[in-house]
Amino acid sequence: MRKALVPVLGLTLLAPTVFPTMASAAESVQVKSVEFIGMPAPSTPDEMAKLYTTASLQVTYTDGSVRSFPLQYKMLFKSTDKVGSMIAGVSVDVKGNPIVDTSVSGAPVPFVSDDPDANSLMKIEGQAPTSKGGNPLSLVTHYEYVTLNNAGKSAYGVVPASMSLTTIDQNKTTGELVATDLKKIDFSGVDGLWIPCNGSLTPWNTHLGSEEYEADARAFEADPTKSSVYVSPFAKAYFQDDKMAGNPYAYGYLPEVTVKADGTTSVVKHYSMGRFSHELGKVAPDQKTVFYGDDGGNTMLFMYVADKSQDLSSGTLYAAKFNQTSDTNGGAGSLQWISLGHATDAEIQDYVNKGLKFSDMFETADKDTEGFTKIKTYPSGKIEWLKVKPGMEKAASFLESRRYAAMLGATSEWNKMEGVTANAKDKKIYIAMSYVEKSMEADTKNADPIDEIHVNKVRAGAVYQLDLAGGVKDSAGNTINSDYAASTMSGLVVGKDLAKADWKGNTADDNAIGNPDNISYSEELRTLFIGEDSGMHANNYVWAYNIDTKKLSRILTTPAGAEATGLQFVDNYNGFRYVMSNIQHPGDEMILSDALKAQVSPLIDKYWDGKRSGAVGYLSGLPTMDQMLAWKDTDQSMSPLRSTAEVKGAKVAWNDADRSITITKGSNTLVVKLGDSMAKVNGQDVKLASPAKVDNESAVFPTATLMNFLNK
């Protein structure tokens, strides 16, 4: 029979020319459920130094049959790689030229980031085909900072960050992605880019970036040379001008990047969305309500409601007051929204361009004083007494959003508020809180201005769910113009602290989340993807959490000391699914024991360019619903038998006499002879789609049959 190639996300399957379509398949068999089958935690030094997966997606059909689809991690490039003519992670100045590191005398080199973060893989209508003949896609990626200079000293904050736009070729048959060209996105029109952390793809197909850890403008005004503020060295490096002092109010916003069909980009900063430590902004399904992560200590929960859908240039900013009802499982409570006022980007940008200073907006005191409000917020982290000067309310609201909101009564006790994602069907927002501690614990010393959050400490963190509704009124009794305002907040997925470190150095349970950071959600798979930035796990992971079954599955492990970043679930581009996922700073601040670190560290140096490289890549192998049905009865993909089985905890034995292999897992056995198209599972004959064989000196076996056995 004539065979045809069928795409399978990086795997090429042979199948009959005619296979079930969605319509014909639905008449006979449908997908009943999907389940991620997780992978073990790395246990050897080599595994601890690598970025890999052995997880799979298991599909159960209405006829009772089961099919497994193995996942694969594929790297697009390292941050130190050249893609086309450009080094992916190179830092550039206002003219687009590489910024040179002269920290080692006589050895100038460009600054190159080891910290790729957010990804927005997007499909741009009208984009020209790539030179490889596949489907053209575009990828926006953040490079958050540079960890070290060439002399080995910290370069955090002082070297301007960047974003890249990569042209991606998507193979039409396999779905494999290949980076063909990369260029830096021009931020010269908005004074450069400040510490871009996470980001998201808007419903109208633009990239919504971030500027994290906004500089303390009060501290900057008092001493512009203060090293921890970073503004002046940042400005000098970006503008290549030693006379530049910089302006803290130029940074701390959400930049929106529009990618055009001809490969050019345009950038705006949304000053009306507030200035604070933007982890990211996530647009709700109404295409005008936005929720944020606000990273740091003593931070806030903000919400923005734009005047018009698909237009973030004007709107109303809100901050939440949290009314706690439970202190367990990360805590729970209701939310009351305080309006901080309405503004346009142009209005707030005008304040920035005029050089407005902190002292132009606020009077200060150094003790309890009539007319002054006592607050404590990031970035100062200290008690402050403030009064807004007459007529400066709008400027204070949008340039000092957290300070102003605290003065109005918003809760300023959140800690390490990170990623945000949306569940449209259930009308929920999910928010990661990396460390549930410090300002979120009870103030036993009565030292702080407020104590509205006093939950039980969970250093391993939690992911919260926020319930969304229409008709919600703000604190003044006015109805919020959104059907997606959050009304309640509660812990959903919570980490588990350990009383003492285990053999790897973990201080959080290795089989539960540890310090969640990036999160993304799949509507069709009903799955929340969670990436870690943990100082409590020896290796950080990406997890898949089914919101219906509550099952948590580890689907990716990163090198020790690396952070899992750039998480984006891509439902269907030209018939293929992906989970975009990066790593940054491999080998940084490892928590392994000294003996284990001595084994792992040289391997990380080997695999990750002396700990100088981050990676940009993706998980493939996730079939779309069409593919789940079309490939139900095909299994031409082959997997290495021994390594796949042993990773799943099975034992493998070779019998040289009859060239047979026996796999034992628990009370179950699988026996197969090389070249045979039949195997025995627990003594019963099982027909194989392809015979077991030797490929590249390793025995390989039909993937689905092997995974079905190993997952028993």
Side-chain angles (χ1 to χ4, degrees), residues 6-76:
V6 180
V8 64
L9 292 177
L11 302 176
T12 300
L13 295 184
L14 291 174
T17 302
V18 179
F19 51 79
T21 63
M22 279 292 289
S24 61
E27 295 169 1
S28 56
V29 64
Q30 296 180 5
V31 172
K32 181 180 180 181
S33 63
V34 295
E35 176 185 12
F36 281 92
I37 306 299
M39 59 184 287
S43 59
T44 68
D46 191 63
E47 290 174 347
M48 292 179 193
K50 288 183 175 178
L51 173 60
Y52 71 96
T53 182
T54 59
S56 61
L57 183 72
Q58 182 173 280
V59 180
T60 301
Y61 299 90
T62 51
D63 64 358
S65 62
V66 178
R67 171 76 194 270
S68 290
F69 296 88
L71 306 185
Q72 300 177 63
Y73 185 80
K74 297 195 172 185
M75 192 187 307
L76 287 168

Side-chain angles (χ1 to χ4, degrees), residues 585-631:
H585 54 70
D588 186 38
E589 298 181 358
M590 288 186 284
I591 64 170
L592 304 173
S593 67
D594 289 343
L596 193 52
K597 188 184 297 183
Q599 299 178 68
V600 175
S601 187
L603 292 169
I604 294 179
D605 286 336
K606 174 184 175 182
Y607 298 141
W608 302 105
D609 303 322
K611 304 184 181 71
R612 294 282 183 167
S613 291
V616 175
Y618 64 100
L619 281 166
S620 70
L622 285 167
T624 63
M625 190 63 70
D626 281 7
Q627 291 166 337
M628 291 178 195
L629 293 168
W631 298 331

Side-chain angles (χ1 to χ4, degrees), residues 154 156-158 194-195 213 215 224 226-235:
S154 175
Y156 182 87
V158 301
W194 178 275
I195 311 179
Y213 299 141
K226 190 174 181 179
S227 61
S228 62
V229 178
Y230 302 128
V231 175
S232 291
F234 174 97

Side-chain angles (χ1 to χ4, degrees), residues 92-94 99 158-160 232-242:
V92 295
D93 64 20
V94 67
I99 299 174
V158 301
V159 181
S232 291
F234 174 97
K236 287 176 172 59
Y238 184 66
F239 293 101
Q240 292 291 289
D241 183 350
D242 286 340

